[in-house]
Amino acid sequence: MRGGKPLGAYLFRYGAVITVIGVVVFFSIVNEHFLTYNNLKDILKAISVTTFLALGVTFSLVVDGFDVSVGSTTSLATIAAASALVLHRQELFVTLLVPLLCGVAVGLFNAFLVVKVKLPDLLATLAVMYIVNGIQLTYTKGYTIYEGMALDNGAATGRFIPSFLFIGQGELLGIPVAVILMLLIVLLAHLFLERTTIGRHMYMVGGNPEAANLFGIPVNRYRVLAYVLSGLLAAVGGIVLTSRIGTGQVSAGAPLLMDAVAAAYIGYALFGEKKPSVIGTLLGSILIGVLLNGLTMMNVPYFAQDIVKGSILVLALAFSFLRRDKKA
């Protein structure tokens, strides 16, 4: 391209955005009901939980880590919230606090294994994934927590209070509360990483930890912070998920892990930034949500949709590692 960058460079830089637009246009053509306000609202509502998990993965990627325990952390938060309401008859504050503390605890445990024990991030968080999943299954004995469930001493007397259900099922000015919460946290996460000293230091830790250490940046503290934020965001996803479905389903977060990882790595390829991106992660979640919604409207079986999700992850990883090779 004369007087500018080659066409391939523009496609590489804006490929993720072009893909999202192209997919939306395609489904709008093949289904007249796709590009409607209600359907788009449903898509955003559906991806809200996945986005929280994907943001957790993004924070771990920022410090050159990788947290695959976000799905099990979401499951644990789901059980914790439902248990607080149904089994222990708590009010909103405790119901929100307990799962958030669970998320922080998982993040600290991940950080301990990675920073202190010095296990590889993937292996450490994979082990934690199994441990946390085992904890929530042991606590529930494999049963879903729901109103009126049978207990050894009778039936559960607690209930899902309206103020809690409002988080996942309510709307403000026609916009789902879950979507508003998602966009708010995306904005805060973006500003935190891009506009604050802590965020810039976290990127330095991920880019070159040795150089960051020479500059006096406490590398290990920022790695701990990244995993705590990852666990906290996964717990927020669990709260929203529990509020939406009105039950505490065991292992509810496990199916969301690959969607979250794919969304985070799509963010890696956005705008050629050569780093994890909060806005890119949101676009990745939207792309996955649009694809699954469109495929469902086209009556594609749900089990075949995993092929599409897997293909998206392969493409995202290919772009990420191709960019790394070029940078090297």
Side-chain angles (χ1 to χ4, degrees):
M1 179 177 290
R2 186 171 59 186
K5 296 181 179 180
L7 178 60
Y10 283 100
L11 291 176
F12 186 79
R13 183 174 178 83
Y14 301 106
V17 178
I18 294 172
T19 301
V20 172
I21 295 174
V23 169
V24 170
V25 171
F26 171 76
F27 286 124
S28 300
I29 294 173
V30 300
N31 193 310
E32 62 181 5
H33 300 293
F34 178 81
L35 201 61
T36 62
Y37 174 76
N38 286 334
N39 190 52
L40 295 179
K41 182 173 69 173
D42 289 341
I43 292 173
L44 290 175
K45 187 175 180 180
I47 68 167
S48 58
V49 176
T50 301
T51 302
F52 291 126
L53 275 72
L55 288 175
V57 176
T58 300
F59 270 100
S60 67
L61 291 174
V62 165
V63 295
D64 197 28
F66 190 32
D67 188 359
V68 297
S69 69
V70 290
S72 60
T73 304
T74 296
S75 300
L76 180 64
T78 298
I79 294 302
S83 175
L85 289 169
V86 175
L87 303 183
H88 302 287
R89 304 182 63 181
Q90 297 297 317
E91 294 301 321
L92 183 63
F93 176 76
V94 174
T95 302
L96 297 180
L97 180 62
V98 172
L100 291 177
L101 290 177
C102 288
V104 171
V106 174
L108 287 172
F109 188 39
N110 278 327
F112 171 76
L113 295 179
V114 172
V115 175
K116 293 297 183 182
V117 184
K118 298 189 183 304
L119 295 178
D121 302 74
L122 176 61
L123 297 180
T125 57
L126 183 64
V128 172
M129 179 185 75
Y130 284 110
I131 292 171
V132 173
N133 192 52
I135 290 173
Q136 57 106 10
L137 285 172
T138 301
Y139 175 76
T140 62
K141 299 179 181 179
Y143 293 108
T144 295
I145 298 177
Y146 57 92
E147 294 183 5
M149 65 180 296
L151 302 174
D152 293 337
N153 56 351
T157 57
R159 65 188 183 93
F160 283 85
I161 57 179
S163 58
F164 179 78
L165 294 176
F166 182 71
I167 298 172
Q169 301 178 15
E171 293 188 359
L172 290 174
L173 302 176
I175 304 174
V177 174
V179 174
I180 296 174
L181 182 62
M182 175 190 72
L183 295 177
L184 177 61
I185 291 183
V186 164
L187 176 62
L188 292 175
H190 174 72
L191 294 176
F192 175 79
L193 287 175
E194 300 292 339
R195 304 296 182 185
T196 68
T197 301
I198 295 176
R200 289 191 290 269
H201 284 177
M202 290 178 72
Y203 274 121
M204 290 181 65
V205 169
N208 192 328
E210 291 81 8
N213 191 51
L214 290 174
F215 274 104
I217 296 174
V219 172
N220 287 341
R221 289 184 184 178
Y222 283 117
R223 298 187 74 192
V224 171
L225 175 62
Y227 280 103
V228 169
L229 289 174
S230 180
L232 188 63
L233 287 165
V236 173
I239 290 171
V240 175
L241 179 60
T242 311
S243 176
R244 180 191 300 170
I245 62 181
T247 60
Q249 295 184 0
V250 293
S251 301
L256 303 175
L257 173 61
M258 292 313 297
D259 289 4
V261 171
Y265 270 101
I266 290 171
Y268 239 105
L270 184 73
F271 302 145
E273 290 290 338
K274 303 180 181 179
K275 65 180 183 180
S277 166
V278 170
I279 301 301
T281 295
L282 175 61
L283 277 177
S285 293
I286 291 174
L287 174 59
I288 294 172
V290 167
L291 279 170
L292 297 184
N293 179 273
L295 292 173
T296 300
M297 295 182 76
M298 293 176 65
N299 296 319
V300 176
Y302 74 91
F303 44 81
Q305 295 177 9
D306 286 342
I307 301 173
V308 177
K309 288 193 287 186
S311 300
I312 292 171
L313 180 56
V314 168
L315 289 173
L317 290 172
F319 271 107
S320 299
F321 285 98
L322 174 64
R323 192 186 61 253
R324 286 183 184 179
D325 291 341
K326 287 187 175 183
K327 183 180 179 182

